[in-house]
Short mmCIF file of all heavy atoms in Angstrom, two decimals:
data_model
loop_
_atom_site.label_atom_id
_atom_site.label_comp_id
_atom_site.label_asym_id
_atom_site.label_seq_id
_atom_site.Cartn_x
_atom_site.Cartn_y
_atom_site.Cartn_z
N GLU A 11 -54.95 -12.58 56.26
CA GLU A 11 -55.75 -11.40 56.57
C GLU A 11 -56.94 -11.28 55.62
O GLU A 11 -58.05 -10.90 56.04
CB GLU A 11 -54.89 -10.13 56.49
CG GLU A 11 -55.66 -8.88 56.93
CD GLU A 11 -54.78 -7.67 57.15
OE1 GLU A 11 -53.55 -7.73 56.87
OE2 GLU A 11 -55.32 -6.65 57.61
N LEU A 12 -56.74 -11.61 54.37
CA LEU A 12 -57.84 -11.55 53.41
C LEU A 12 -58.94 -12.55 53.77
O LEU A 12 -60.13 -12.22 53.72
CB LEU A 12 -57.32 -11.82 51.99
CG LEU A 12 -56.48 -10.69 51.38
CD1 LEU A 12 -55.73 -11.19 50.14
CD2 LEU A 12 -57.35 -9.49 51.01
N PHE A 13 -58.55 -13.76 54.15
CA PHE A 13 -59.55 -14.74 54.57
C PHE A 13 -60.32 -14.25 55.80
O PHE A 13 -61.54 -14.41 55.90
CB PHE A 13 -58.90 -16.09 54.86
CG PHE A 13 -58.57 -16.91 53.63
CD1 PHE A 13 -57.41 -17.69 53.59
CD2 PHE A 13 -59.41 -16.93 52.54
CE1 PHE A 13 -57.11 -18.45 52.48
CE2 PHE A 13 -59.11 -17.69 51.41
CZ PHE A 13 -57.95 -18.46 51.39
N GLU A 14 -59.60 -13.65 56.75
CA GLU A 14 -60.25 -13.13 57.95
C GLU A 14 -61.25 -12.03 57.59
O GLU A 14 -62.37 -11.98 58.15
CB GLU A 14 -59.20 -12.59 58.92
CG GLU A 14 -58.35 -13.67 59.57
CD GLU A 14 -57.19 -13.09 60.36
OE1 GLU A 14 -57.09 -11.84 60.45
OE2 GLU A 14 -56.37 -13.87 60.87
N LEU A 15 -60.87 -11.14 56.68
CA LEU A 15 -61.77 -10.07 56.28
C LEU A 15 -63.00 -10.62 55.56
O LEU A 15 -64.11 -10.10 55.73
CB LEU A 15 -61.02 -9.09 55.37
CG LEU A 15 -59.98 -8.20 56.06
CD1 LEU A 15 -59.07 -7.53 55.02
CD2 LEU A 15 -60.65 -7.14 56.93
N ALA A 16 -62.80 -11.68 54.78
CA ALA A 16 -63.93 -12.28 54.09
C ALA A 16 -64.90 -12.93 55.07
O ALA A 16 -66.12 -12.75 54.98
CB ALA A 16 -63.44 -13.33 53.09
N LEU A 17 -64.36 -13.64 56.05
CA LEU A 17 -65.21 -14.31 57.03
C LEU A 17 -65.94 -13.30 57.91
O LEU A 17 -67.05 -13.56 58.39
CB LEU A 17 -64.36 -15.25 57.89
CG LEU A 17 -63.84 -16.49 57.16
CD1 LEU A 17 -62.81 -17.23 58.02
CD2 LEU A 17 -64.99 -17.43 56.79
N ALA A 18 -65.33 -12.12 58.09
CA ALA A 18 -65.97 -11.06 58.88
C ALA A 18 -66.97 -10.25 58.07
O ALA A 18 -67.68 -9.41 58.63
CB ALA A 18 -64.90 -10.13 59.46
N GLY A 19 -67.01 -10.50 56.76
CA GLY A 19 -67.93 -9.78 55.90
C GLY A 19 -67.44 -8.42 55.46
O GLY A 19 -68.21 -7.62 54.92
N ASP A 20 -66.14 -8.14 55.65
CA ASP A 20 -65.60 -6.83 55.29
C ASP A 20 -65.09 -6.76 53.86
O ASP A 20 -64.92 -5.67 53.30
CB ASP A 20 -64.45 -6.46 56.24
CG ASP A 20 -64.93 -6.24 57.66
OD1 ASP A 20 -66.06 -5.73 57.82
OD2 ASP A 20 -64.20 -6.59 58.60
N VAL A 21 -64.80 -7.89 53.25
CA VAL A 21 -64.35 -7.95 51.86
C VAL A 21 -65.08 -9.11 51.18
O VAL A 21 -65.14 -10.22 51.74
CB VAL A 21 -62.82 -8.17 51.75
CG1 VAL A 21 -62.41 -8.36 50.30
CG2 VAL A 21 -62.07 -6.98 52.33
N ARG A 22 -65.64 -8.86 50.02
CA ARG A 22 -66.30 -9.92 49.27
C ARG A 22 -65.79 -9.95 47.83
O ARG A 22 -65.39 -8.92 47.28
CB ARG A 22 -67.81 -9.73 49.29
CG ARG A 22 -68.33 -8.46 48.65
CD ARG A 22 -69.83 -8.31 48.87
NE ARG A 22 -70.37 -7.05 48.36
CZ ARG A 22 -70.93 -6.91 47.17
NH1 ARG A 22 -71.01 -7.95 46.34
NH2 ARG A 22 -71.41 -5.74 46.79
N ALA A 23 -65.80 -11.14 47.27
CA ALA A 23 -65.37 -11.30 45.88
C ALA A 23 -66.53 -11.02 44.95
O ALA A 23 -67.69 -11.29 45.28
CB ALA A 23 -64.85 -12.71 45.66
N ILE A 24 -66.21 -10.47 43.79
CA ILE A 24 -67.21 -10.18 42.76
C ILE A 24 -66.96 -11.13 41.59
O ILE A 24 -65.86 -11.15 41.03
CB ILE A 24 -67.12 -8.73 42.28
CG1 ILE A 24 -67.30 -7.76 43.46
CG2 ILE A 24 -68.17 -8.45 41.20
CD1 ILE A 24 -68.61 -7.87 44.18
N SER A 25 -67.97 -11.90 41.22
CA SER A 25 -67.82 -12.82 40.10
C SER A 25 -67.93 -12.07 38.78
O SER A 25 -68.88 -11.33 38.54
CB SER A 25 -68.89 -13.91 40.16
OG SER A 25 -68.81 -14.73 39.02
N GLY A 26 -66.94 -12.29 37.93
CA GLY A 26 -66.99 -11.71 36.59
C GLY A 26 -67.48 -12.70 35.55
O GLY A 26 -67.55 -12.39 34.36
N GLY A 27 -67.79 -13.91 36.00
CA GLY A 27 -68.27 -14.93 35.09
C GLY A 27 -67.54 -16.24 35.27
O GLY A 27 -66.33 -16.26 35.53
N VAL A 28 -68.29 -17.33 35.20
CA VAL A 28 -67.71 -18.67 35.26
C VAL A 28 -67.83 -19.30 33.88
O VAL A 28 -68.93 -19.47 33.35
CB VAL A 28 -68.43 -19.54 36.31
CG1 VAL A 28 -67.82 -20.94 36.34
CG2 VAL A 28 -68.34 -18.90 37.69
N PHE A 29 -66.69 -19.63 33.28
CA PHE A 29 -66.63 -20.22 31.95
C PHE A 29 -66.20 -21.67 32.07
O PHE A 29 -65.45 -22.04 32.98
CB PHE A 29 -65.61 -19.47 31.08
CG PHE A 29 -65.95 -18.03 30.80
CD1 PHE A 29 -65.74 -17.06 31.76
CD2 PHE A 29 -66.46 -17.65 29.56
CE1 PHE A 29 -66.04 -15.72 31.50
CE2 PHE A 29 -66.76 -16.33 29.29
CZ PHE A 29 -66.56 -15.36 30.27
N GLY A 30 -66.65 -22.50 31.15
CA GLY A 30 -66.15 -23.85 31.09
C GLY A 30 -64.71 -23.87 30.62
O GLY A 30 -64.24 -22.91 29.97
N LEU A 31 -63.98 -24.94 30.93
CA LEU A 31 -62.60 -25.06 30.45
C LEU A 31 -62.57 -24.93 28.93
O LEU A 31 -61.65 -24.33 28.37
CB LEU A 31 -62.03 -26.41 30.89
CG LEU A 31 -60.52 -26.61 30.70
CD1 LEU A 31 -59.73 -25.61 31.53
CD2 LEU A 31 -60.14 -28.05 31.10
N SER A 32 -63.58 -25.47 28.26
CA SER A 32 -63.66 -25.40 26.80
C SER A 32 -63.94 -23.98 26.31
O SER A 32 -63.86 -23.72 25.11
CB SER A 32 -64.76 -26.34 26.29
OG SER A 32 -66.02 -25.96 26.83
N GLU A 33 -64.27 -23.07 27.23
CA GLU A 33 -64.59 -21.69 26.86
C GLU A 33 -63.47 -20.72 27.24
O GLU A 33 -63.71 -19.53 27.38
CB GLU A 33 -65.88 -21.26 27.55
CG GLU A 33 -67.10 -22.11 27.19
CD GLU A 33 -68.31 -21.76 28.02
OE1 GLU A 33 -68.20 -21.78 29.26
OE2 GLU A 33 -69.36 -21.45 27.42
N ALA A 34 -62.25 -21.23 27.38
CA ALA A 34 -61.13 -20.37 27.77
C ALA A 34 -60.92 -19.22 26.79
O ALA A 34 -60.62 -18.09 27.19
CB ALA A 34 -59.85 -21.20 27.89
N ARG A 35 -61.09 -19.52 25.50
CA ARG A 35 -60.94 -18.45 24.50
C ARG A 35 -61.94 -17.33 24.77
O ARG A 35 -61.58 -16.14 24.74
CB ARG A 35 -61.13 -19.01 23.09
CG ARG A 35 -61.15 -17.94 22.01
CD ARG A 35 -61.24 -18.54 20.62
NE ARG A 35 -61.36 -17.50 19.60
CZ ARG A 35 -61.31 -17.71 18.29
NH1 ARG A 35 -61.13 -18.95 17.83
NH2 ARG A 35 -61.42 -16.71 17.43
N ALA A 36 -63.19 -17.68 25.03
CA ALA A 36 -64.22 -16.68 25.30
C ALA A 36 -63.88 -15.88 26.56
O ALA A 36 -64.14 -14.67 26.64
CB ALA A 36 -65.58 -17.34 25.44
N ALA A 37 -63.30 -16.56 27.56
CA ALA A 37 -62.91 -15.87 28.79
C ALA A 37 -61.83 -14.82 28.51
O ALA A 37 -61.88 -13.70 29.03
CB ALA A 37 -62.42 -16.87 29.82
N HIS A 38 -60.85 -15.18 27.68
CA HIS A 38 -59.80 -14.22 27.33
C HIS A 38 -60.36 -13.06 26.50
O HIS A 38 -59.96 -11.91 26.68
CB HIS A 38 -58.67 -14.92 26.56
CG HIS A 38 -57.67 -15.58 27.46
ND1 HIS A 38 -56.31 -15.51 27.23
CD2 HIS A 38 -57.82 -16.30 28.59
CE1 HIS A 38 -55.67 -16.17 28.17
NE2 HIS A 38 -56.57 -16.67 29.01
#
């Protein structure tokens, strides 16, 4: 259902940031 809502444009994800694997500490 979530995928269907996303494809319909009713629910979208919000990016909080993309960190490198080496930046896991900074992500936490």
Side-chain angles (χ1 to χ4, degrees):
E11 185 168 6
L12 289 166
F13 281 143
E14 289 172 4
L15 288 166
L17 290 170
D20 293 326
V21 174
R22 62 186 175 96
I24 303 299
S25 175
V28 179
F29 296 78
L31 191 62
S32 60
E33 300 173 306
R35 173 176 176 173
H38 275 223

